[in-house]
Amino acid sequence: MTTAQPTTDVLAEKHRSTLDQALATIRTRAYWSPYPEHPKAYGADGSLDAAAGLAAHEAVLNGRFDLDQPGTDGWTGGEVSPYGPALGVEYPHADVDVLLPAMRTGLPAWRDAGPETRALVCLEILARISARTHEFAHAVMHTSGQAYMMAFQAGGPHAQDRGLEAVAYAYEEQTRTPAGRAAWSKPQGKRDPLELSKEFTPVGRGVALVIGCNTFPTWNGYPGLFASLATGNAVLVKPHPRAVLPLALTVKVAREVLAESGFDPNLVALATERPGEGIAKTLAVRPEIRIIDYTGSTEFGDWLEANARQAQVYTEKAGVNTVLIDSTDDYKGMLSNLAFSLSLYSGQMCTTPQNLLIPRDGITTDQGPRSYDEVVADLAAAVGGLLGDDARANALLGALVNPDVKARLEAATGLGEVALASREVAHPDFPEAVVRTPVMVKLDGSKPDAEAAYLSECFGPVSFAVSVDSTADGLDLLRRTIRDKGAMTVGAYTTSADTERAVEEICLEESAQLSLNLTGGVYVNQTAAFSDFHGSGGNPAANAALCDGAFVSNRFRVVEVRRQA
């Protein structure tokens, strides 16, 4: 701890005001971010501009990514960009019987450093990542298939925001109990009081495992990583085999900052896997692993919750996101907003709407009544207009992240009447990229065979326009969908106060995050750190929310030492 103290003073000068602002913002829920969203904001104060970021990315390709970790027993790689090129990067493969004990060695000093020092070290890690946002953007783009600007923002400042948010919650939860020694005195009437000296220490659970996802490796990975690190745990990062590079870069930065701050760099390490090795299951049940963060399929998330009994498991799985369309006073704005929501990143977001519940007799709008068929046709036209220009389509859609998404897209056309056909979009810079516009399929909500389709998650650029007998039937279906299948997001359009209250009551009772009447530049599939909760932890789509007190508070326990005064 003494070796880290001089560095800690420097970090406090650099980052304490940022931590204080983050703590204030999670209470006010206002907009704030310390990390610039605009690409031109980078290039000064040691940060990489666009050209330097690209050069740094290219310098990593086709070589070994050495982390100087204990227990390296070989090298593995094989990432291929969804845009076509092979990355050619080899990563250290770890003998976990050697790596895991090494990760525990630094835990006592990390524990003794206390919540503030841990938070400041985490903020320095985030600051250095932020300075390399352009480099990280290329890594995210070429592992997830996101278009560059989305990779820059979602994989850069927005992911960094989520990491900082987790640090703020971690600090707040750990400091609820007073630091240092507390005097305790209980009066005993005429006798001398009973007196004790009590000391309370937040203690991490041990080694945390972050199981990364393919689509948002940093955005989904940073909350768990920084929540665990800030609460006194070591963190083993197991990336998705198709999206290793963004998290490998993160681990490298973290290890450098930890070492410079006087701590053991092995508090953060990388676990990559050989083709077909499937180490996530092996690691998940290791006794050293005490915390698990996972984003991905419901099947594996359920397996983790059932089998990783020694660990606190935080999962974000799959849901069926639903939008109820009852009425609107801004028909054009509604269509535009939904079209963008369905198109962004080819629907490859856990928050993208899938089911659009529309009364079969139609809806009322500011442009007059619209039948079910007219609403669907108008929405299809809005998507077509948005994506009619190939340059704009490429910027919004990105590339399909893997062949499974393409297969689901193609299979969806056999599920019902196609209201909007998907088309191929050629990418001028990456001819091997698989870029497809969304497909929209009409389904009759009253037919059992259709129910099997719309009550299953169809991840990717697929949506179902589900006809329902009435708004009341749509509300019943909405409730059943959230309760049985889960939802990361719910949307609704209505001019009726009664319908609005009914939707809100369903979402309160079933624990689903609701967006009402969005017609402008905010979309149902976007959430803002420090203000919006991503998921609720209260329905089958996820057992945790990003980010709240519950997301961090069970990553550590408070241990008390009592002494006779």
Side-chain angles (χ1 to χ4, degrees), residues 91-125:
Y91 305 95
H93 182 275
D95 179 347
V96 294
D97 289 328
V98 176
L99 181 58
L100 286 171
M103 294 185 70
R104 293 186 56 84
T105 302
L107 284 174
W110 190 234
R111 174 200 66 214
D112 293 344
E116 181 175 16
T117 296
R118 289 195 292 268
L120 294 172
V121 171
C122 287
L123 264 63
E124 177 66 13
I125 296 169

Side-chain angles (χ1 to χ4, degrees), residues 50-102:
L54 176 58
H57 169 69
E58 290 177 339
V60 172
L61 304 180
N62 301 306
R64 284 190 169 175
F65 196 98
D66 194 1
L67 291 170
D68 193 27
Q69 292 184 170
T72 297
D73 61 8
W75 297 85
T76 186
E79 291 160 292
V80 177
S81 169
Y83 290 93
L87 302 191
V89 184
E90 287 190 314
Y91 305 95
H93 182 275
D95 179 347
V96 294
D97 289 328
V98 176
L99 181 58
L100 286 171

Side-chain angles (χ1 to χ4, degrees), residues 146-235:
Q146 295 174 32
Y148 183 75
M149 271 306 299
M150 184 174 184
F152 178 89
Q153 292 186 336
H158 296 171
Q160 296 151 22
D161 283 340
R162 283 297 185 192
L164 175 56
E165 179 186 41
V167 174
Y169 272 101
Y171 179 84
E172 184 164 79
E173 292 299 320
Q174 290 174 97
T175 54
R176 289 186 185 278
T177 304
R181 293 189 179 183
W184 183 85
S185 180
K186 180 179 180 180
Q188 296 293 299
K190 294 181 180 181
R191 292 174 293 169
D192 291 340
L194 299 176
E195 294 186 343
L196 294 175
S197 172
K198 302 184 179 185
E199 189 172 8
F200 305 94
T201 303
V203 179
R205 289 186 173 273
V207 180
L209 174 66
V210 174
I211 303 175
C213 68
N214 195 172
T215 48
F216 288 88
T218 56
W219 198 98
N220 278 109
Y222 283 6
L225 192 164
F226 285 100
S228 288
L229 193 61
T231 49
N233 302 280
V235 182

Side-chain angles (χ1 to χ4, degrees), residues 386-397 423-428 435 437:
L386 177 68
L387 302 177
D389 175 75
D390 281 2
R392 182 193 292 176
N394 277 307
L396 285 176
L397 295 170
R423 71 178 181 91
E424 297 184 20
V425 179
H427 198 293
V435 183
T437 62

Side-chain angles (χ1 to χ4, degrees), residues 112-313:
D112 293 344
E116 181 175 16
T117 296
R118 289 195 292 268
L120 294 172
V121 171
C122 287
L123 264 63
E124 177 66 13
I125 296 169
L126 285 164
R128 294 197 193 183
I129 291 171
S130 175
R132 296 167 62 176
T133 292
H134 276 288
E135 178 187 0
F136 273 76
H138 287 286
V140 171
M141 173 183 176
H142 286 291
T143 53
S144 71
Q146 295 174 32
Y148 183 75
M149 271 306 299
M150 184 174 184
F152 178 89
Q153 292 186 336
H158 296 171
Q160 296 151 22
D161 283 340
R162 283 297 185 192
L164 175 56
E165 179 186 41
V167 174
Y169 272 101
Y171 179 84
E172 184 164 79
E173 292 299 320
Q174 290 174 97
T175 54
R176 289 186 185 278
T177 304
R181 293 189 179 183
W184 183 85
S185 180
K186 180 179 180 180
Q188 296 293 299
K190 294 181 180 181
R191 292 174 293 169
D192 291 340
L194 299 176
E195 294 186 343
L196 294 175
S197 172
K198 302 184 179 185
E199 189 172 8
F200 305 94
T201 303
V203 179
R205 289 186 173 273
V207 180
L209 174 66
V210 174
I211 303 175
C213 68
N214 195 172
T215 48
F216 288 88
T218 56
W219 198 98
N220 278 109
Y222 283 6
L225 192 164
F226 285 100
S228 288
L229 193 61
T231 49
N233 302 280
V235 182
L236 181 60
V237 178
K238 206 297 291 181
H240 191 285
R242 293 194 188 101
V244 180
L245 184 56
L247 291 179
L249 289 168
T250 302
V251 169
K252 191 176 184 68
V253 173
R255 290 175 63 84
E256 290 170 353
V257 172
L258 286 163
E260 291 173 20
S261 303
F263 297 103
D264 189 338
N266 296 321
L267 288 166
V268 177
L270 187 74
T272 57
E273 57 189 301
R274 298 186 177 102
E277 186 177 7
I279 63 170
K281 274 192 174 183
T282 303
L283 288 170
V285 295
R286 295 272 308 205
E288 302 95 331
I289 300 299
R290 305 305 303 278
I291 301 166
I292 298 173
D293 287 276
Y294 167 76
T295 301
S297 71
T298 296
E299 181 183 10
F300 190 56
D302 289 344
W303 185 91
L304 287 170
E305 291 171 5
N307 292 278
R309 313 287 288 187
Q310 84 293 348
Q312 297 294 318
V313 179

